[in-house]
Amino acid sequence: MTQGSHFQQLLRAAADQPEPQRLLFVFAGAGLPDHPTDQQRARFLAGAGGALTPLMCVDKAPADVADFDALVADSRRAGPPWQVMFAAGLSGFDGRPPTQSQIDPALEKMVNAVRLGAVGAFAAYDASGDPIQIR
């Protein structure tokens, strides 16, 4: 992971915003959907498919995330193994960071979006820190 990595750019962009930010992360596991087709099974076994299930979520200030490797280490200590991490930013207002009463529903909305497969608005990374596109 280099300083110019996609994730590092995300951290810098969040830190550079005029209003204080919180970064929202949802970690998801991949598995076969119920009653998979032969094609779905083949794609999953090739590492290219599967149904995503949210496993855990967290919010952090940009300054609290040193880099992707540090976030991965924290996540591995806190919860089960995951395959995909989704990230989004939540802006504060009037010089104040978002409150917990704003963060909790935003995280819940992200978790529900992952359950529904509606993840196009989020940055997505594999466990190595490489950005990925979910189709």
Side-chain angles (χ1 to χ4, degrees):
M1 195 71 34
T2 65
Q3 284 296 76
S5 75
H6 190 275
F7 189 78
Q8 286 303 122
Q9 291 173 26
L10 175 79
L11 293 178
R12 278 195 303 277
D16 289 345
Q17 295 303 305
E19 295 291 347
Q21 303 287 305
R22 291 300 284 188
L23 292 172
L24 310 178
F25 300 104
V26 174
F27 299 86
L32 279 172
D34 293 337
H35 314 292
T37 65
D38 290 339
Q39 182 182 14
Q40 287 172 321
R41 185 180 310 280
R43 288 195 66 216
F44 177 76
L45 293 174
L52 293 173
T53 302
L55 301 171
M56 61 182 166
C57 60
V58 68
D59 69 283
K60 292 190 175 275
D64 293 340
V65 183
D67 57 27
F68 188 81
D69 293 336
L71 183 62
V72 168
D74 284 348
S75 74
R76 298 294 186 216
R77 283 189 295 275
W82 52 270
Q83 285 75 41
V84 179
M85 182 201 63
F86 296 97
L90 182 64
S91 184
F93 181 73
D94 213 12
R96 291 183 299 264
T99 63
Q100 203 61 49
S101 65
Q102 294 167 316
I103 293 167
D104 290 342
L107 278 171
E108 186 176 329
K109 185 176 178 180
M110 272 184 82
V111 167
N112 288 333
V114 170
R115 282 190 182 114
L116 296 172
V119 295
F122 311 130
Y125 300 90
D126 67 16
S128 299
D130 293 323
I132 57 174
Q133 288 186 335
I134 307 293
R135 292 181 228 152

